[in-house]
Amino acid sequence: GFDLSKHVLPFLPHQAWLDHHSRSLGLFIDGKFERPADRQSHSLSDSKGTVVCHTTIAAEDDISQCASSSVNGYKAWSSLTCFQRAKVLLRMVSVLGQHGQCVSELCEMCEASCSSSSLVRLLQFYSSWAQLRDTLITSWTPLGEGTPVQLTINVHIYWSVFVLIESFLLLGNSVIVVPGRSAAPPALLLAQLFTTAGLPAGALNVLTGSDITLSAKVAQNPNVSYITYSGNKEDGVTLCKNTAGLGVPVSVSPCIGATCPFIVFESADIDSAVDEVIEAAFKKKKEVHWVLCVQESVVDSVMDRLKLRMAGMKCVSLLSDEHRTLVDAAVQEAQQQGATLIQSSAAPPSGAQYPPTVLCNAAPSSPCVRTPSPGPLLPLMTFRSNTEAVTLGNHSPHGQAASIWTEDLTLALETANGLSVGSVWVNSHSVSDPCLPSSGHKDSGTCTDGGQEGLYQFLRPSSSTSRPRSSHVSMDYSKFGTAASPAVIPNESDPSRQVFNFVGGKACKSVSGSSVAVQSPGGDRVLAYCPDGGRKDVRNAVEAAIKVQPGWMKKSPTGRAPSLYSLAKGLESKKQDVAKAVSLQTGLSAEESGKEVELSIARLNVWAAYCDKIRGGSLPMPSSGSALSFPEALGVVGVVLPDKNPLLSMVTLLGAAIATGNAVVMVPSQKYPLPALAFVQVLQSSDLPAGLVNIISGDGDQMTAALANHSVIKAIWYWGSAEGCQYLQHTCTNPLKTLRLFCQKDGGGMDWTQPEPSFLEEMWRNAVQWKSVWIPTA
């Protein structure tokens, strides 16, 4: 039995807790603080510049010790039943209640504000999921079962730390936390409190260090099986590049520095909207930059209220004189472009302070809108219609969140549906609850946080195998995919055996006008000449896809299903021709080839049936109001197809993508391209919109590089070489792309013939991103 009285810490406010540790915080490893004598340390200062404590910088030996501790912690934690794990998480509620003041004060000191009540809500939500894991999340197992999962955090938002830790722990994983400098003290206190609540030693370890390179060093340990990062974009990109080639999945959530629209319609309560935008833009610590979008008919009223509310507001302290220089430059450039200012007071001539400032009539192309500088600046733009409001809201490269103000619920939901963001707040802002799933849209990340949906990124179907770790390969990224294709010949050499790509709804040759000879399995004869596609072919395919994808996504799921049923029927009518192509290319018998075609027809019918089954819904809220969650298409998906089951794998991935509203640019297996190109005749007779599905054959590395460097493509699903996997993880960072990477030499990662429901569920979950809409009531 667990005796709480033997484990509870003395009731300590944050200053007393720091004094208890002599204001020198060690590493938290194996359930206790470790302070190696020869380690360097960082000093942490409060907002007034006073040094409040020192944190230890972890060394190589500490990383090894931490990883070993996590393995042992995993064994102890995962061996508990779901009920036992839920009890530990619920016990943390009691511990947090006793030490809530200490947690709140420490978070406030570190500018990582998070209320104790919100943390209690998190614990209650995730403890219930820990209890129900084996009941409601069946046929799934943690990624890298048997190894710890690294949780990499460089963030000031304590909420994000808590959400990710709870998500990992409830599934039975162990966790290594690598916090940023300012988040280190709250993270260390959190680990100590979890141990107090009965979490086994080693299940939660905390390593503090100098910068993001510590996270990369931890990732290189062979016991680490997953990395997730939450913080600023620059450090997230560095982490992706430093961990490329290790064979470890990495998800990134750049939650600091994003630009978010604050949209005010003429039907809004103007007084409430103005009060809240001032609170969000000037009074709260800014993790995001708000852009105020106001309907033209009420812009004068909004500006008058802004002047009134902002009168007398004090100047905001900046971090440095360099930030003051950036703010001055941003304001000057905005004025040169026609913006006018609303300021609470005149700006001081010098110093690291600046008054709250609204930049009225800012241009959408202005740097103060697209790449805001640090400081209390709020750009204001105007719109006339709902369509213009959505266009302004989607103008930013980020897609984290938006706030909509109107008393017309229909208008609010229509606008929310059009915005490409993960969270939408109606007549509110910055509201969080763990039951709401939210994905980073556009350049705002590659993971889903919150809700049941947020748990699946850390799971894999039980029927699949765990992916092996790999080693970093020394390679010149600038030269990847630049080698010429072998045996390139003009198309005109043998037109009778020429096969075609499929771009924009038409069968076509490559832009280069060249082809590659496809040999029989024995290499004794030429079967066909495939187009040798390249960067320009990918460009044309993406242009066709981006034109049609928004309309396809808006089409109702029941409207998409008939097109997939029709595609399956078309494949059945061409069964003999396609089976012959499979047999000629792969060397399979006629019976085996026919079986693969039959499985492909059945798989397309399954995806047609899935179309209207992939839905979100209303979520239970702890406070008054309603919340909705629903999946949305990613956009344009690039797919480099596997060698294994070349037809079945293609229709499986094709079906998953278009059933959920995406468009695809597919690159057939370089070894077996003919089955995919034979499928072109099926696509030609289908009723799918032209440009929705594009198939381009060519050199695998060259096509991979073309997909990776196209800014419109949101996700890439890749089966290929270890070098290709490493290249994609290193390159697909600007903008961030969602990656699914499989090394073919390791078997490609899946059995395409399996009928397990979790296998197809994983497919569609990887083809969507989640949006939540919060609608409060009075």
Side-chain angles (χ1 to χ4, degrees):
F2 177 82
D3 187 355
L4 190 64
S5 63
K6 295 181 180 179
H7 294 266
V8 170
L9 298 167
F11 177 77
L12 298 173
H14 78 290
Q15 294 290 356
W17 182 78
L18 292 172
D19 290 338
H20 180 74
H21 292 279
S22 303
R23 296 192 174 265
S24 180
L25 303 176
L27 312 171
F28 195 85
I29 301 176
D30 209 32
K32 58 185 181 297
F33 281 95
E34 299 279 354
R35 297 185 182 86
D38 57 342
R39 300 293 186 264
Q40 294 180 325
S41 65
H42 273 309
S43 61
L44 180 65
S45 302
D46 60 17
S47 58
K48 298 179 181 179
T50 304
V51 176
V52 293
C53 67
H54 299 270
T55 56
T56 303
I57 299 177
E60 296 285 348
D61 292 343
D62 302 318
I63 295 174
S64 299
Q65 180 187 356
C66 182
S68 298
S69 171
S70 290
V71 172
N72 295 329
Y74 170 81
K75 293 175 181 177
W77 181 238
S78 63
S79 66
L80 300 180
T81 64
C82 292
F83 173 66
Q84 290 171 323
R85 287 197 293 268
K87 284 180 66 177
V88 172
L89 298 180
L90 276 176
R91 198 178 293 125
M92 182 65 177
V93 175
S94 176
V95 173
L96 191 62
Q98 296 179 35
H99 304 284
Q101 182 181 351
C102 182
V103 172
S104 298
E105 291 177 355
L106 195 63
C107 287
E108 185 176 353
M109 182 197 76
C110 298
E111 297 185 331
S113 58
C114 188
S115 67
S116 296
S117 61
S118 63
L119 298 183
V120 168
R121 165 64 180 152
L122 275 170
L123 286 164
Q124 292 171 337
F125 178 81
Y126 284 114
S127 63
S128 63
W129 270 114
Q131 174 75 56
L132 298 173
R133 177 199 149 181
D134 289 348
T135 304
L136 297 182
I137 309 179
T138 57
S139 303
W140 294 79
T141 191
L143 285 170
E145 190 170 19
T147 58
V149 177
Q150 180 201 352
L151 173 61
T152 305
I153 298 170
N154 185 29
V155 67
H156 299 285
I157 307 174
Y158 201 46
W159 171 275
S160 298
V161 179
F162 222 71
V163 166
L164 293 170
I165 290 176
E166 288 281 314
S167 299
F168 281 119
L169 289 178
L170 79 87
L171 297 172
N173 297 300
S174 59
V175 186
I176 301 172
V177 181
V178 183
R181 291 190 190 183
S182 61
L188 290 165
L189 174 59
L190 174 66
Q192 187 178 12
L193 293 179
F194 263 113
T195 302
T196 301
L199 189 71
L204 175 58
N205 295 317
V206 181
L207 289 177
T208 54
S210 54
D211 53 30
I212 200 67
T213 57
L214 172 62
S215 302
K217 291 179 181 178
V218 177
Q220 292 170 6
N221 189 285
N223 291 308
V224 172
S225 62
Y226 194 93
I227 304 169
T228 181
Y229 170 83
S230 182
N232 62 60
K233 171 74 179 294
E234 293 74 18
D235 283 347
V237 169
T238 300
L239 180 63
C240 289
K241 293 181 181 294
N242 289 344
T243 57
L246 298 180
V248 183
V250 179
S251 64
V252 177
S253 178
C255 56
I256 294 178
T259 301
C260 302
F262 195 104
I263 302 173
V264 181
F265 287 97
E266 61 185 2
S267 54
D269 179 342
I270 302 298
D271 288 314
S272 297
V274 169
D275 287 342
E276 292 301 315
V277 76
I278 289 176
E279 176 77 16
F282 302 135
K283 294 184 179 180
K284 286 189 173 183
K285 185 180 184 297
K286 291 174 63 175
E287 283 86 22
V288 300
H289 300 281
W290 290 99
V291 174
L292 181 58
C293 306
V294 182
Q295 197 158 15
E296 279 187 357
S297 57
V298 292
V299 67
D300 291 336
S301 177
V302 169
M303 291 171 63
D304 289 341
R305 285 169 170 79
L306 284 170
K307 292 174 184 177
L308 181 64
R309 304 290 203 282
M310 291 170 59
M313 289 180 64
K314 296 180 179 180
C315 289
V316 176
S317 296
L318 306 176
L319 293 179
S320 64
D321 290 334
E322 288 76 13
H323 280 191
R324 172 60 191 269
T325 301
L326 292 174
V327 171
D328 285 335
V331 172
Q332 183 179 4
E333 185 171 3
Q335 287 180 299
Q336 291 173 350
Q337 294 180 348
T340 58
L341 306 184
I342 297 176
Q343 291 184 313
S344 60
S345 61
S350 61
Q353 285 190 327
Y354 205 81
T357 301
V358 178
L359 303 170
C360 302
N361 299 314
S365 59
S366 173
C368 71
V369 175
R370 294 191 60 83
T371 55
S373 63
L377 303 181
L378 176 64
L380 186 154
M381 299 185 291
T382 60
F383 61 87
R384 287 168 292 185
S385 64
N386 176 39
T387 302
E388 286 188 12
V390 171
T391 301
L392 280 181
N394 288 332
H395 183 66
S396 165
H398 309 111
Q400 183 171 329
S403 178
I404 299 172
W405 289 79
T406 176
E407 294 183 354
D408 184 340
L409 182 58
T410 301
L411 176 62
L413 292 177
E414 183 181 343
T415 306
N417 189 54
L419 292 171
S420 183
V421 296
S423 297
V424 179
W425 300 296
V426 178
N427 297 329
S428 56
H429 68 88
S430 308
V431 182
S432 298
D433 190 86
C435 76
L436 295 175
S438 177
S439 302
H441 289 46
K442 296 189 287 188
D443 204 23
S444 285
T446 59
C447 62
T448 299
D449 294 327
Q452 179 181 356
E453 291 75 17
L455 302 178
Y456 285 95
Q457 61 191 325
F458 312 127
L459 298 167
R460 59 176 174 82
S462 301
S463 57
S464 65
T465 57
S466 181
R467 297 183 221 171
R469 286 290 298 262
S470 56
S471 300
H472 180 85
V473 178
S474 178
M475 60 183 294
D476 185 345
Y477 294 104
S478 64
K479 295 182 179 179
F480 180 83
T482 59
S485 302
V488 176
I489 57 176
N491 277 330
E492 291 76 12
S493 59
D494 193 350
S496 64
R497 285 187 286 180
Q498 178 71 48
V499 292
F500 299 95
N501 289 335
F502 189 69
V503 176
K506 299 178 181 179
C508 59
K509 301 176 181 179
S510 65
V511 173
S512 66
S514 299
S515 297
V516 176
V518 179
Q519 303 288 334
S520 63
D524 55 342
R525 61 194 176 99
V526 174
L527 298 176
Y529 297 99
C530 290
D532 183 42
R535 180 180 57 83
K536 292 182 179 179
D537 296 279
V538 170
R539 178 200 64 194
N540 293 343
V542 173
E543 286 179 357
I546 200 63
K547 289 178 181 178
V548 71
Q549 189 273 329
W552 177 252
M553 180 178 67
K554 291 178 181 178
K555 197 172 185 178
S556 69
T558 53
R560 292 196 291 263
S563 295
L564 280 160
Y565 280 123
S566 174
L567 195 63
K569 188 176 180 180
L571 178 57
E572 189 169 12
S573 68
K574 302 287 185 181
K575 177 180 176 180
Q576 291 185 347
D577 293 340
V578 177
K580 182 179 179 182
V582 173
S583 179
L584 286 173
Q585 179 78 94
T586 62
L588 294 175
S589 65
E591 181 181 356
E592 291 174 315
S593 299
K595 184 178 180 180
E596 179 163 347
V597 177
E598 289 288 353
L599 286 172
S600 300
I601 295 169
R603 189 63 50 82
L604 285 172
N605 279 291
V606 169
W607 282 125
Y610 251 104
C611 281
D612 60 355
K613 311 301 186 295
I614 306 169
R615 307 309 302 158
S618 177
L619 299 170
M621 302 304 299
S623 57
S624 61
S626 302
L628 304 173
S629 72
F630 42 90
E632 293 187 333
L634 296 172
V636 180
V637 179
V639 186
V640 180
L641 293 165
D643 296 338
K644 189 176 181 181
N645 300 110
L647 178 67
L648 180 59
S649 62
M650 184 199 68
V651 299
T652 300
L653 296 168
L654 169 67
I658 65 175
T660 49
N662 299 287
V664 289
V665 178
M666 310 190 84
V667 179
S669 158
Q670 190 172 350
K671 185 177 181 181
Y672 301 131
L674 292 186
L677 295 176
F679 191 74
V680 167
Q681 59 184 314
V682 178
L683 291 170
Q684 285 179 299
S685 60
S686 74
D687 63 352
L688 291 174
L692 188 70
V693 178
N694 303 274
I695 300 177
I696 310 171
S697 64
D699 178 78
D701 288 349
Q702 184 178 358
M703 299 299 292
T704 298
L707 293 173
N709 289 288
H710 202 294
S711 61
V712 171
I713 293 176
K714 171 61 180 176
I716 295 179
W717 303 342
Y718 175 82
W719 281 260
S721 64
E723 291 81 5
C725 293
Q726 179 173 322
Y727 173 82
L728 287 169
Q729 192 170 345
H730 183 275
T731 306
C732 296
T733 55
N734 192 26
L736 289 167
K737 289 179 172 60
T738 303
L739 301 176
R740 298 191 70 221
L741 308 177
F742 299 90
C743 184
Q744 298 236 78
K745 74 175 183 178
D746 298 325
M750 56 188 62
D751 176 9
W752 299 99
T753 62
Q754 64 174 297
E756 289 290 331
S758 59
F759 170 72
L760 295 181
E761 184 179 357
E762 183 190 33
M763 289 286 176
W764 78 255
R765 286 190 178 278
N766 281 288
V768 300
Q769 53 192 354
W770 289 87
K771 176 188 287 184
S772 63
V773 180
W774 182 296
I775 309 170
T777 56

